[in-house]
Amino acid sequence: MNTQERERLVVIGNGMAGINTVENMLKLTPNAFQITVFGSEPYPNYNRIQLSYVLEKSKAVEDIILNDWNWYRDNGIDLFTGTTVTAIDTIGKKVIADNGMEVPYDKLIIATGSKPFLLPVPGVDKEGIVGFRDIADCELMLRTANEYKKAAVIGGGLLGLEAAKGLLKLGMDVTVVHLFEDLMERQLDHTASHMLQVELESQGLKFATGRKTVEFLGAERVSGLKFSDGTELEAEFVVMAAGIQPNVQLARAAGIEVRRGIVVDDYMRTSVPDVFAVGECNEHRGICYGLVAPLFEQGAVLAKYLCGAETKPYEGTVVSTQLKISGVDVFSAGEFQDAPDLAVVRMHDEWRRVYKKILLREGRIVGGVLVGDGKEATRLQQWIRTGTVMTEDIHGRLMGATVTETGNTAAELRDEEIVCGCNGVTKKHIVDAINEHGLTTVEEIKVTTGASRSCGGCRPVVEQILQYVLGDKYDSAAAKKEGICGCTTLSRDEVVRHIKEKGLITSKEVRYALGWNNEEGCSKCRPALNYYLGMIWPTEHADERDARFVNERMHANIQKDGTFGVVPRMYGGVTTPEDLRLIADVAVKYNVKLVKVTGGQRLDLLGIKRDDLPKVWEELGMPSGYAYAKALRTVKTCVGSQFCRFGTKDSMGMGILLEKKFERLDMPAKFKMAVNGCPRNCAESSTKDIGIVGNEGAWEIYVGGNGGIKARLAELLCKVMTDEELLEIVSAFMQYYRETGKYLERTSDWIERVGIKSIIQTVVEDVEQRKQLAERMELALAQVKEPWKDILDNSKLRERLFENSQGAANAVDEKDFHYYSVGTLEQYAERLGRVVQLEGQEIAVFRTSEGSVFALENKSPGPRGGTIVEGIVAGDILFDPICDWRISLSDGQVQTPDKGQVRTYPVRVTDGEVFVGVRMGVVK
């Protein structure tokens, strides 16, 4: 079909609704229409629901583009960005743009979307008051956050809460102002709303609910809000997110029927022939939809109608809502408020922060709200859409009363069911793509169909569809993909990408948002996630001590007898007679078993008791040598030009400078450096992660050396002439390793995986990228603290980690047991162990994240012995700190490698006091 024979289709609006309709048309009849698209913004089609990610800087504008310029060109679409249609001539069948263009049409789609509702109160036109609907709004908000600190967001609905969280992550002091007492009152009942508010308050948001704004204060720029009760709120910046208004002015001026929105029938036809409206600008059966799923359903019907394909009419959408804020699990669908004709199934667990409510009409599910546990959200939405009759099995699944096999949700989905609401991808699209292209992973499905490429909330269902289609082949296909641990199939790069895209700040958020099959993780992923989060968000992420290995948690090296080794920092291997005398005095006072000179030119004090560690640190008064950490251990040096007759460079001075600059910074694995003052290599630079060799007038930088089990000689990275250039390249190299290395991957393995040429290109030849890496390194370095001093200054942390508890006199005697008081519940931090001494017996007491308390003999059953109190706790499983064996806290059974037993003790918690029972006749 040539251009003259093709129908002319004009689309007013380059947003998600209009372009999704075009995408569907191209799939059905790729050459039937000559398509022209007008967009007022200067961008191709982008994902508007991800603006909050752009606002919080977890995504750039280019990351949310759905269809780039090439897509329009490849599909023969004429796209005019930055161009606004100002008139529709329905008689002459043409549109007129603000630049004078006139384009004729045979069919016209109006997809003008909506605009923010601005409160009609005095001062609304002041500087500093904006809506939140497009990229320009985001850019203004980002600029404002750099200049001002106090923000108010008017509107406690979906958009308002996401905008508020974005501003909070930018460092602003944010208050959400809401007319109603309850947040998200159109989706949540009072209980769910209250739980949501409490959770958001814990994340730092403030709220002024039940407040009506009557005036914006200030001269030219807003300075605050005045409420109807006479109170005021200081605000230098105000975001309007109190609702939307369909953009109908263009249609109304053209004589098209308009009420609140452009009135359409079940095929998106307006009152004027050959003119259609889709998306937020239209009104269907009296409803204007503001969520993306209904807009895609409308677009699918309209595309089929325009292409002459058979289609069912659009009859409306059962709207569902899932709040996209990190760590906040809120879902609502269908009816949500109690009513006389509805039966309610309700579960409210304040301790677990879980609330579930299912509404029934004549026994059929018509709505529901889930807070704190959304695992059954997809299935619930399906049951609501189909009006499924409530059964004992469904009740058990939703309320957690039974542990039944839930089966595969994919098998129950209809082909036309939209799986990915962000991108309008149906089950059939995914099934067809798997069969036609031989897809075997969710990542391949995402690339091919777009499903899960946006918010990622549909990923579990996409994976279920993959499993459903592949059947017996699914396991072998999944096995091709290496996850970071057994809790997930996601690789390191996928996890890091999702953390950035979704703005995930805590390990808990990551495990929930990415669908970990073990909700509390394990000894492999817990430390890894803590590292990745700290690397990505150096200023936002709070270090999760309970996720660290024992050495990093205790800031000392655990030995097989349960004692610890302490290594004070000696910069560049240099010390003084006074410091040596101090170390000797401390070693004598605390009965140190051995003083060992390390390979990194320092002294290791071995055999220090756990509860003596803080006292040793305090009396030494030296910084930690980090001999235990996944961080810079040492910078080994020779004496260099200061003393050596062969030295050409000040190796000691450079080594001390490097060590002081990069100490305490978390790395993927332990990191060692060395500086030689000449090529004779006395400091062994050739086997270090970074080895620096001085020559006359220059420094040579070698990287990727390893003297361990897998020995590897370092490779030449570059030669530099100045100290300043050396520092910048070393900084860029270390940051590039931090950002791309897998957790526990040494630089020797990393360089073999990434390639030395790629590294040289990134950190040496690309000067701009090198400077950016160095800048990110400086940001990370600004967050580091001296760990020994940090613990000495924190009495509660010191008590929990290092001070043993002595059992009090018998509190309760029962048959066969004496019960001893071992302190209050609040003295036991979640997922951390504490040693209790009961008349000669050393007992490890653990408190899980669910509040359960367990007591076990503090003795590892592993072949290398040691204690268990410093292990990593996940759920009711303890990972042994020495052997990483999995031990059940409830019965002491070793689950992996499936042998061994640890003695357990009964525990009682009465009025907040913890009691441990010891069998009579055992304690003397």
Side-chain angles (χ1 to χ4, degrees), residues 286-357:
I287 299 175
C288 296
Y289 293 99
L291 297 173
V292 70
L295 315 187
F296 286 150
E297 291 179 8
Q298 292 178 3
V301 171
L302 175 56
K304 290 179 181 178
Y305 179 83
L306 290 174
C307 293
E310 183 179 350
T311 179
K312 295 179 181 178
Y314 175 69
E315 298 177 341
T317 301
V318 176
V319 176
S320 66
T321 300
Q322 195 147 12
L323 188 61
K324 292 176 177 64
I325 290 181
S326 302
V328 181
D329 187 1
V330 174
F331 173 84
S332 172
E335 300 185 47
F336 63 92
Q337 292 286 13
D338 297 10
D341 65 332
L342 295 175
V344 180
V345 180
R346 183 184 284 110
M347 186 273 279
H348 185 190
D349 187 335
E350 291 187 355
W351 186 69
R352 292 180 182 269
R353 298 178 184 176
V354 172
Y355 175 68
K356 302 179 181 182
K357 184 173 80 169

Side-chain angles (χ1 to χ4, degrees), residues 637-653:
T637 66
C638 65
V639 295
S641 61
Q642 289 191 36
F643 292 95
C644 180
R645 58 197 174 100
F646 299 108
T648 62
K649 285 283 191 178
D650 182 6
S651 54
M652 287 193 297

